[in-house]
């Protein structure tokens, strides 16, 4: 396995369950027990009702491409190796996520259905990406 | 209670943006622009008793305002750093007016400046962006604005040539501005569309170019304004709003907090978009201008594309827009890029815009935009007859 040079997340007390679930290839989100909102990224309190009663729940891993861009010239050398698809995916449960679409750039469209694809970039870190949903 | 008619811009100072800053520092450039603005206002340094300064990416630090005051030798009664990105300069206008109206100070020097030598993007200092954006390559503003433009095209059928037209009209303005960096040759829609795609659907010529430079203005209350050498430019309305930090988590990609900030500014001023004689919307990208036109109410939501094709945005057109060239042609010397919209509106209203002067300019709308369409500050300025 070649060395990985791109930036890695540093999990915090709040976000650690999200990243450990990703390592197990599970997509877990916080959900507010008071207003039932699903939350991404992990927060100290519900950004809707401000309750601190949040619990972790597995979600479907399915969503829709809300927007995307093919980055031809990255702002940093770390991503300059080849064009990549940066996307905002709207999960079926509601929240939007910044992610990558693992597919040929020319095939990606707004509104396209996608499903989670876990990318074990290092032994300690798994990034949450998406790929086209075969229907 | 409001900041309406409580303070006026009476002096401006601005350096021509450069790609070759030599050994200049942000503070050295700010000192230069600050001295110009104080002199332009007909004041002495000792008259300045308030200082608002924007963050310099080339000299980031905490406790920056006191350092600025020490370097300039100013003993302020009010000092602060305004940290709302590209909205900082517009944000300074109402903050200065509020401080003056509250009696905390009488003459506020508002300063921005930066030195840009790096081609490399610096890591975000916001921990959540480091954790949830950087690993996926959401780095730098190009990505965020590309995501916005793509979604706008999807929702409203906005076309690349419509966005390009904004850069083209603004270039026509820049040709009449000796201070603009790109002021030597016109731009066509074909030129813009033929420039390389940086982040789809954004072309190179739809994106600001980072530079070095500085800008400053001086705001005062009615008493000092009466003695000013140039016609004072009064703050008539102001509004501010912020909907997110990272665009992914905004309520919408295409509808910005300008809806709230512009509405508040127009309400305070008691005016409508159609009353404006010129507009200076923040333009880090062409899509930023398009969304500002829509959300500030110059056209219907989603109609920005056809609207810019139907209107002449040049200094001699029916909707003079960014008559200095905008940052797209003027250049973006850090937060002084965002101040260029304020200085240009002031210059026009004072009647000092030279060959690009908009005739009988009385009301100007300025919008400052920070981050990726996050912080929004709208202001309306007036030259009293
Ligand atoms: Zn809640």
């Amino acid at each position: 396995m070649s060395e990985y040079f791109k930036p890695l997340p540093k999990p915090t007390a709040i976000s650690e369950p999200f990243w450990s679930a990703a390592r197990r290839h599970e997509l877990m989100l916080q959900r507010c027990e008071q207003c039932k909102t699903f939350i991404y990224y992990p927060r100290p309190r519900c950004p809707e009702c401000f309750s601190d009663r949040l619990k972790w729940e597995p979600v479907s891993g399915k969503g829709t491409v809300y927007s995307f861009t093919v980055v031809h010239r990255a702002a940093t050398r770390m991503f300059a190796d080849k064009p990549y698809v940066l996307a905002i995916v709207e999960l079926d449960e509601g929240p939007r996520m910044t992610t990558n679409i693992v597919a040929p750039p020319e095939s990606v469209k707004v509104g396209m259905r996608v499903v989670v694809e876990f990318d074990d970039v290092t032994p300690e870190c798994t990034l949450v990406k998406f790929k086209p949903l075969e229907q | 209670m409001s900041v309406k008619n409580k303070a006026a811009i009476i002096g401006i100072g601005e350096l021509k943006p450069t790609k070759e800053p030599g050994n200049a520092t942000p503070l050295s450039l700010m000192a230069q622009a600050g001295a110009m603005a104080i002199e332009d206002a007909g004041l002495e340094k000792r008259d300045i008793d308030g200082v608002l300064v924007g963050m310099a990416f080339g000299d980031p630090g905490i406790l920056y305002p006191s350092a600025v005051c020490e370097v300039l030798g100013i003993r302020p009664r009010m000092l602060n750093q305004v940290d709302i990105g590209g909205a900082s300069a517009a944000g300074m206008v109402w903050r200065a007016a509020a401080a003056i109206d509250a009696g905390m100070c009488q003459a506020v020097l508002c300063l921005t400046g930066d030195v840009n030598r790096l081609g490399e993007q610096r890591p975000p200092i916001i921990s959540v962006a480091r954790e949830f954006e950087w690993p996926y390559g959401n780095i730098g503003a190009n990505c965020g604005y590309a995501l916005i433009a793509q979604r706008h095209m999807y929702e409203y059928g906005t076309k690349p040539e419509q966005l390009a037209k904004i850069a083209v009209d603004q270039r026509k303005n820049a040709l009449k501005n000796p201070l603009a960096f790109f002021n030597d040759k016109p731009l066509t829609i074909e030129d813009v569309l033929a420039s390389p795609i940086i982040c789809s659907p954004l072309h190179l010529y739809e994106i600001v170019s980072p530079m070095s430079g500085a800008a400053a203005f001086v705001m005062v209350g009615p008493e000092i304004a009466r003695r000013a050498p140039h016609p004072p430019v009064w703050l008539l309305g102001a509004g501010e709003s912020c909907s997110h930090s990272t665009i992914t988590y905004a309520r919408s990609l295409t509808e910005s907090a300008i809806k709230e900030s512009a509405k508040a500014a127009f309400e305070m001023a008691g005016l409508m978009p159609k009353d404006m004689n010129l507009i200076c919307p923040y333009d880090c990208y062409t899509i930023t201008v398009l969304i500002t036109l829509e959300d500030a109410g110059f056209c219907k939501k989603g109609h920005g594309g056809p609207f810019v094709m139907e209107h002449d945005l040049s200094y001699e057109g029916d909707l003079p827009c960014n008559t200095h060239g905008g940052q797209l042609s003027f250049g973006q010397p850090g937060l002084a890029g965002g101040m260029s919209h304020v200085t240009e509106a002031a210059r026009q209203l004072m009647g000092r815009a030279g060959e690009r002067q908009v005739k009988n300019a009385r009301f100007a709308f300025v919008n400052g935009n920070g981050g990726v369409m996050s912080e929004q500050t709208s202001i309306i300025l007036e030259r009293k007859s």
Side-chain angles (χ1 to χ4, degrees):
Chain A
M1 197 175 157
S2 63
E3 241 182 300
Y4 188 78
F5 292 107
K6 294 183 168 75
L8 291 168
K10 284 201 186 74
T12 66
I14 302 285
S15 66
E16 171 37 48
F18 173 81
W19 294 114
S20 4
R23 273 197 300 277
R24 300 191 305 270
H25 289 200
E26 285 175 52
L27 185 57
M28 304 264 288
L29 294 187
Q30 286 173 316
R31 189 174 196 182
C32 174
E33 290 194 67
Q34 189 163 290
C35 75
K36 304 295 175 202
T37 306
F38 282 97
I39 299 162
Y40 184 83
Y41 49 91
R43 310 284 168 97
R45 280 174 181 261
C46 172
E48 295 299 323
C49 74
F50 219 46
S51 164
D52 63 355
R53 287 168 44 226
L54 307 180
K55 77 179 211 290
W56 290 90
E57 272 190 28
V59 290
S60 69
K62 288 178 188 155
T64 305
V65 175
Y66 190 75
S67 193
F68 74 97
T69 174
V70 182
V71 181
H72 293 271
R73 286 201 207 165
T76 157
R77 268 180 233 116
M78 289 181 284
F79 281 89
D81 48 343
K82 59 174 192 290
Y84 59 97
V85 183
L86 174 72
I88 299 174
V89 164
E90 188 168 84
L91 297 171
D92 288 356
E93 290 79 8
R96 294 184 195 138
M97 294 180 71
T98 299
T99 186
N100 299 124
I101 307 297
V102 187
E106 60 281 4
S107 70
V108 179
K109 301 273 179 287
V110 177
M112 178 177 162
R113 293 288 292 159
V114 289
V115 63
V116 69
E117 164 93 340
F118 293 98
D119 187 355
D120 302 319
V121 292
T122 71
E124 297 78 33
C125 176
T126 299
L127 295 180
V128 180
K129 301 184 177 178
F130 288 79
K131 64 179 182 187
L133 179 66
E134 317 279 346
Q135 280 167 324
Chain B
M1 204 187 133
S2 87
V3 289
K4 183 178 184 174
N5 286 325
K6 297 291 169 47
I9 299 171
I10 60 161
I12 51 179
E14 195 161 44
L15 308 183
K16 185 181 172 92
T18 176
K19 289 271 195 188
E20 287 156 6
N23 57 4
T25 64
L27 285 173
S28 70
L29 299 180
M30 280 188 212
Q32 224 179 315
M36 287 166 73
I38 294 167
E39 192 190 342
D40 194 53
L43 299 177
E44 304 282 342
K45 182 169 66 75
R46 62 167 182 273
D47 300 321
I48 300 297
D49 61 357
V51 170
L52 294 175
V53 63
M55 191 198 72
F57 296 95
D59 188 14
I62 55 167
L63 305 177
Y64 202 54
S66 61
V68 170
C69 291
E70 184 178 278
V71 167
L72 301 184
I74 292 172
R75 282 283 304 270
R77 297 194 291 148
M78 184 280 289
L79 71 166
N80 217 331
Q81 174 163 298
V82 179
D83 182 20
I84 47 176
S88 297
M92 286 174 191
V93 173
W94 78 255
R95 284 169 174 79
I100 290 166
D101 185 45
M104 298 302 291
C105 51
Q106 292 190 314
V108 181
L109 178 64
C110 300
L111 270 176
T112 50
D114 219 330
V115 168
N116 199 306
R117 287 196 188 84
L118 299 173
E120 194 82 326
Q121 185 80 24
R122 298 171 192 85
I125 46 180
I126 302 161
S127 58
V128 287
R130 273 204 308 262
E131 186 172 358
F132 299 102
E133 307 306 316
W134 270 55
Y136 302 101
N138 189 10
I139 301 176
N142 290 351
C143 293
Y145 284 93
L147 291 164
I148 292 171
Q150 188 87 265
R151 182 73 195 182
H152 203 280
M153 288 174 170
Y154 173 81
E155 286 181 18
Y156 302 113
T158 304
K159 297 181 176 65
E161 55 269 30
Q162 296 168 337
L163 290 170
K165 165 78 160 39
I166 295 166
V168 169
D169 283 4
Q170 291 191 179
R171 175 61 61 86
K172 183 181 166 187
N173 294 334
L175 298 180
K176 302 287 187 191
N177 182 4
L179 282 185
F181 185 86
F182 299 106
N183 66 2
D184 54 345
K185 64 173 201 295
L187 199 62
T188 65
I189 289 178
E190 293 70 36
D191 292 336
V192 177
L193 299 183
S195 67
I197 297 262
I198 305 300
C199 292
S200 68
L202 298 180
H203 302 81
L204 179 63
Y205 293 169
E206 299 182 78
I207 300 176
V208 281
S209 185
M211 299 192 187
S212 304
F217 60 88
V218 174
M219 277 199 93
V220 299
E223 202 178 312
I224 301 176
R226 269 195 292 275
R227 312 193 300 262
H230 301 292
V233 172
W234 293 90
L235 176 62
L236 206 55
E240 199 161 277
S241 186
C242 177
S243 55
H244 61 275
S245 173
T246 296
I247 190 67
T248 305
Y249 317 107
R251 62 187 172 187
S252 159
L253 261 63
T254 54
E255 195 169 285
S256 71
I258 297 169
K259 282 211 111 153
E260 290 84 28
S261 63
K263 183 168 183 279
F266 282 118
E267 274 177 12
M268 189 188 292
L271 294 171
M272 309 273 283
K274 64 172 171 51
D275 299 319
M276 298 299 108
N277 301 113
L278 73 136
I279 62 173
C280 289
Y282 194 86
D283 67 323
C284 41
Y285 299 82
T286 51
I287 185 69
T288 317
V289 175
L290 192 102
I291 288 182
T292 307
L293 290 169
E294 293 177 350
D295 290 348
F298 289 89
C299 64
K300 275 202 288 187
K301 189 70 217 171
H303 289 224
F307 181 84
V308 299
M309 298 311 272
E310 286 157 16
H311 293 270
D312 179 353
L313 306 180
S314 79
Y315 63 95
E316 53 187 7
D318 55 338
L319 183 63
C321 170
N322 287 330
T323 47
H324 60 312
Q327 294 180 88
L328 289 169
S329 281
F330 178 80
Q332 185 179 52
L335 298 189
M339 192 170 278
S340 75
H341 302 91
V342 175
T343 54
E344 176 66 6
R347 207 180 271 120
Q348 285 281 0
L349 296 181
M350 289 176 180
R352 301 163 71 194
E355 284 187 67
R356 63 183 191 282
Q357 181 65 47
V358 174
K359 290 190 184 64
N360 306 318
R362 180 179 172 195
F363 297 118
F365 170 81
V366 179
N367 194 73
N369 157 60
V372 178
M373 296 304 290
S374 30
E375 300 89 344
Q376 301 297 341
T377 308
S378 306
I379 55 171
I380 290 156
L381 302 171
E382 180 188 18
R383 174 193 176 156
K384 313 277 185 203
S385 48

